[in-house]
Amino acid sequence: MSKTSKNQSSSYRKQKAAAADLSLLEKLDTVPAVLSVSGNALLATFSGFYKNSKTIPKSYYRHVYLTAVRTLTRRTSVRQQHYLFPPTDEAYEAACKARGVKPQSEILEDGTRAHWIGNPQASHLVMNFHGGGYVIPAGKEMVEFMFRIIDAVNSQGKNAACLFLSYDLAPGAPYPRQLQQASMLLNHVLNNLKIPPGNIIFTGDSAGANLALSLLSHISHPHPSTTVPIPSVHLSSPLLGAVLISPWISFDTSTDSFKRNAWKDCIGVEAGKQWSSAFLSCPWPHEEASDEYNQAITADSSWWKDLKVKQILVTAGEEEVLVDGIREFVEKLKKGFGEDKVEFLVADGEYHDQPNLDIGMGIKEKDEGVQAQEIKRWISSKL
């Protein structure tokens, strides 16, 4: 297990293999898909100029960007998304290059890779799990957000770094492969890097928050998988904390927030169904494949009683389609884990995974939303 390797990661290989299976027709079909996104964006932008020739508010550009993302994820298949988006490893390298930072990674025995953000010798560690419905690789903006978190924390005299897990993507690697990789990484951090549990904070956005919760569940309730061996994790003390950003805790797309926020958010019903079906390798509505580890909302409040973590922060946007399910989950979490151990923020006017998406659309850090500010404040306060 080294910090450098010229070999491609497990995640990279799986994504490229899935994209290679695309037929010529499927590849050609991505062209009108991308053009339709560009067309929507241009139309919206020009209409904005006509409405106000002097200034266009940032909220308008956000609307254009969210519409484009929503259109692309609805219009393309999972394998086409593998074809269109660069692998997580390349996004990490691009973010490092933009900052003039040398890439460094932990390589596990099975080819799983986790990327360093900050000094690997730091006393405290943020373990990050990226979003994307378990099918889309991490974008450069997701890596950049973690750089910003570490910068913000260390600017206050703290000493922290981040390990950014590059997990395998579905459908080539369906559930519970990602939980296996997260468990292996945590064991590597505990046993090889010798970082104590009390110095570790989990962070995850969307599907990454799903994975963070899955790992917390596995620590307290060892996963019973007989197909994919998931290593047990033994902690000498509770983890320092966990941050769940727009957590994907329910695959139900019938809640009212899916209707009232349908034109405000970056994702919709079609993407949700497609991604969860690929992740679970089971057609919608895939009840037989659902469990407490992959769909946290199905767990009873008592399930969360003995979580091995001190504090949890959950954030969401009032305008995201998942917000009703997140609220229901948080009530269960508070009842089982403890009201005083859970902080919950629903930001007015914000959407799904806004801290990351804002960076993707070029919003400056000084203009970041409430969720991004609170996440930095909360992590810093715990270190």
Side-chain angles (χ1 to χ4, degrees):
M1 300 182 184
S2 63
K3 290 187 176 66
T4 59
S5 174
K6 294 183 179 180
N7 296 326
Q8 295 169 341
S9 71
S10 172
S11 174
Y12 184 98
R13 294 195 305 269
K14 290 283 178 63
Q15 181 180 342
K16 290 298 185 180
D21 285 340
L22 248 64
S23 67
L24 178 59
L25 185 61
E26 287 175 304
K27 290 179 181 179
L28 291 174
D29 183 57
T30 63
V31 176
V34 173
L35 289 176
S36 68
V37 170
S38 302
N40 284 342
L42 285 172
L43 180 62
T45 301
F46 281 126
S47 66
F49 277 115
Y50 283 121
K51 289 178 182 177
N52 188 343
S53 59
K54 294 183 179 179
T55 60
I56 301 177
K58 292 181 178 64
S59 61
Y60 188 81
Y61 285 113
R62 285 184 167 115
H63 171 72
V64 171
Y65 187 86
L66 297 179
T67 300
V69 173
R70 190 173 62 245
T71 301
L72 184 64
T73 56
R74 184 189 71 244
R75 175 67 177 76
T76 55
S77 69
V78 168
R79 291 195 305 161
Q80 286 175 321
Q81 290 161 20
H82 283 354
Y83 177 72
L84 289 171
F85 293 103
T88 297
D89 299 341
E90 292 183 1
Y92 169 68
E93 290 170 1
C96 287
K97 183 177 180 180
R99 281 177 161 259
V101 174
K102 181 182 178 181
Q104 298 184 77
S105 301
E106 295 293 324
I107 311 297
L108 306 186
E109 291 177 351
D110 70 340
T112 297
R113 183 172 299 191
H115 304 301
W116 281 107
I117 293 169
N119 183 359
Q121 304 304 316
S123 60
H124 289 76
L125 180 70
V126 175
M127 283 183 60
N128 184 70
F129 309 112
H130 71 83
Y134 284 110
V135 303
I136 296 179
K140 179 182 173 183
E141 68 278 0
M142 295 177 174
V143 181
E144 172 60 24
F145 183 52
M146 298 313 299
F147 266 115
R148 292 184 183 184
I149 288 176
I150 297 304
D151 284 350
V153 166
N154 290 343
S155 69
Q156 297 183 28
K158 309 298 173 68
N159 183 20
C162 170
L163 269 178
F164 193 109
L165 177 61
S166 178
Y167 58 76
D168 296 357
L169 302 175
Y175 169 80
R177 167 58 174 162
Q178 297 79 14
L179 177 56
Q180 180 191 49
Q181 292 177 290
S183 300
M184 291 169 59
L185 177 61
L186 180 54
N187 278 334
H188 177 64
V189 166
L190 296 169
N191 302 324
N192 293 36
L193 302 185
K194 304 298 183 181
I195 299 176
N199 288 15
I200 299 171
I201 291 178
F202 289 172
T203 59
D205 60 291
S206 193
N210 178 301
L211 182 53
L213 277 168
S214 185
L215 181 53
L216 287 172
S217 289
H218 171 59
I219 294 169
S220 298
H221 312 276
H223 195 285
S225 175
T226 57
T227 55
V228 177
I230 301 174
S232 58
V233 177
H234 303 286
L235 301 182
S236 59
S237 61
L239 297 162
L240 182 56
V243 178
L244 311 175
I245 307 165
S246 295
W248 193 28
I249 42 72
S250 173
F251 303 145
D252 180 13
T253 59
S254 65
T255 58
D256 183 67
S257 54
F258 268 90
K259 301 179 183 69
R260 70 175 184 272
N261 293 330
W263 306 107
K264 300 176 183 178
D265 205 0
C266 61
I267 55 173
V269 172
E270 298 88 350
K273 289 183 176 180
Q274 179 182 204
W275 293 343
S276 62
S277 296
F279 170 52
L280 296 179
S281 192
C282 179
W284 177 264
H286 42 62
E287 288 98 342
E288 65 273 19
S290 173
D291 59 35
E292 296 89 346
Y293 304 91
N294 60 42
Q295 195 171 192
I297 201 169
T298 64
D300 184 82
S301 58
S302 62
W303 178 269
W304 309 109
K305 181 180 179 181
D306 296 319
L307 286 182
K308 306 304 181 185
V309 63
K310 293 179 181 178
Q311 298 281 331
I312 295 177
L313 170 67
V314 184
T315 74
E318 189 63 67
E319 295 187 352
E320 67 172 291
V321 295
L322 300 182
V323 67
D324 286 356
I326 294 172
R327 281 195 172 98
E328 181 182 343
F329 162 72
V330 169
E331 288 306 308
K332 287 186 177 183
L333 181 64
K334 286 183 175 180
K335 184 178 179 181
F337 186 49
E339 289 269 354
D340 59 329
K341 298 178 183 178
V342 180
E343 293 183 46
F344 184 36
L345 167 67
V346 178
D348 290 338
E350 297 197 9
Y351 39 84
H352 182 71
D353 205 3
Q354 178 158 329
N356 286 301
L357 268 71
D358 271 5
I359 296 175
M361 68 181 79
I363 301 296
K364 301 298 183 182
E365 190 168 8
K366 64 182 179 62
D367 297 317
E368 67 187 4
V370 173
Q371 289 183 78
Q373 296 174 37
E374 176 61 14
I375 291 163
K376 294 174 183 176
R377 184 207 65 78
W378 191 89
I379 292 176
S380 183
S381 72
K382 304 304 175 187
L383 298 179

